[in-house]
Amino acid sequence: MQKKILIINGHPNRESFNFGVANAYQEGAIASGAAVRTIHIIDLKFNPNLQFGYRKRTELEPDLLLAWEDIKWADHLVWVHPVWWGGLPALMKGFIDRLFLPGFAFQYRENSLLWDKLLKGKSARIITTLDQPSWYYTLVYGKPSVNQLKRSTLLFCGISPVKVTYIGIIKTSDPIKRDKWLQKVKQLGHKQA
């Protein structure tokens, strides 16, 4: 059975290394026979602000409705993003805020602190770029972006397992090092499919 992979790129700059990472993963996955779709969040037209929280539903824009269909379609989600101030880029956070809603990704049970995980059966990989060593990001800062995306979002909604790949240090890398990282990511895509 053909694996269905959705790549979600959260970097807002089309000239970023993250776009290269997303493309490398896509190339590897397609080469191994997977069906692949890609969302570059910067290309979507939507308001990233969850204006009313969960008190009142803000209607989803057409691009978000299409993105949600892609998420439902996929067996495996690949999240590509840089770490900025320890967290996700604002646009990516807004994408999650607007889409991973009660009734979509999870559902609180009535009169209970428990919830139903509505995205069970899917797996994920987070590929995050850093301007510091991954061991330092983990030991000193506690890897906040990974905790937020992996534990507080994906696992919360039933997506499991969630694997993490760190790439860095980006700011001091040269073209040879970047090419090695892209080849590694391409192999990850090939193995996943």
Side-chain angles (χ1 to χ4, degrees):
M1 185 171 152
Q2 189 179 42
K3 186 96 175 208
K4 297 181 287 189
I5 298 174
L6 176 63
I7 301 166
I8 303 169
N9 176 12
H11 202 298
N13 182 350
R14 288 178 184 84
E15 297 176 10
S16 72
F17 184 65
N18 281 234
F19 270 70
V21 169
N23 289 337
Y25 194 99
Q26 179 176 329
E27 286 175 23
I30 289 172
S32 67
V36 181
R37 297 180 185 175
T38 301
I39 295 171
H40 297 292
I41 298 174
I42 189 62
D43 294 337
L44 306 181
K45 291 179 176 46
F46 72 102
N47 178 359
N49 185 19
L50 187 63
Q51 188 170 354
F52 305 107
Y54 296 151
R55 185 178 53 81
K56 178 180 170 185
R57 179 68 53 92
T58 302
E59 291 302 316
L60 295 177
E61 294 87 346
D63 282 356
L64 288 183
L65 291 171
L66 290 172
W68 187 250
E69 290 303 314
D70 285 344
I71 289 169
K72 290 193 308 186
W73 165 85
D75 303 312
H76 185 70
L77 305 174
V78 179
W79 297 82
V80 179
H81 71 88
V83 171
W84 288 349
W85 291 107
L88 308 172
L91 191 62
M92 187 173 183
K93 175 68 167 64
F95 176 82
I96 294 167
D97 286 350
R98 291 291 313 283
L99 272 184
F100 282 65
L101 299 167
F104 279 57
F106 68 95
Q107 185 63 54
Y108 288 119
R109 296 178 186 170
E110 193 171 340
N111 300 318
S112 174
L113 296 175
L114 301 177
W115 67 97
D116 295 315
K117 300 174 179 188
L118 303 182
L119 296 179
K120 285 184 177 178
K122 299 179 185 301
S123 60
R125 176 171 297 275
I126 299 167
I127 304 174
T128 185
T129 57
L130 300 160
D131 277 336
Q132 59 193 301
S134 59
W135 63 265
Y136 190 85
Y137 182 63
T138 300
L139 292 176
V140 174
Y141 295 112
K143 59 184 179 187
S145 69
V146 171
N147 290 336
Q148 180 183 18
L149 183 54
K150 179 179 178 176
R151 296 171 70 193
S152 300
T153 304
L154 302 177
L155 292 174
F156 182 90
C157 297
I159 298 171
S160 180
V162 179
K163 296 181 178 176
V164 180
T165 300
Y166 296 100
I167 298 176
I169 304 171
I170 297 295
K171 69 181 176 181
T172 60
S173 65
D174 59 28
I176 294 169
K177 184 66 174 169
R178 288 180 180 221
D179 186 59
K180 285 182 183 176
W181 288 328
L182 292 176
Q183 292 308 313
K184 176 184 174 184
V185 169
K186 192 173 184 178
Q187 286 302 313
L188 287 173
H190 195 269
K191 284 186 207 171
Q192 184 59 46

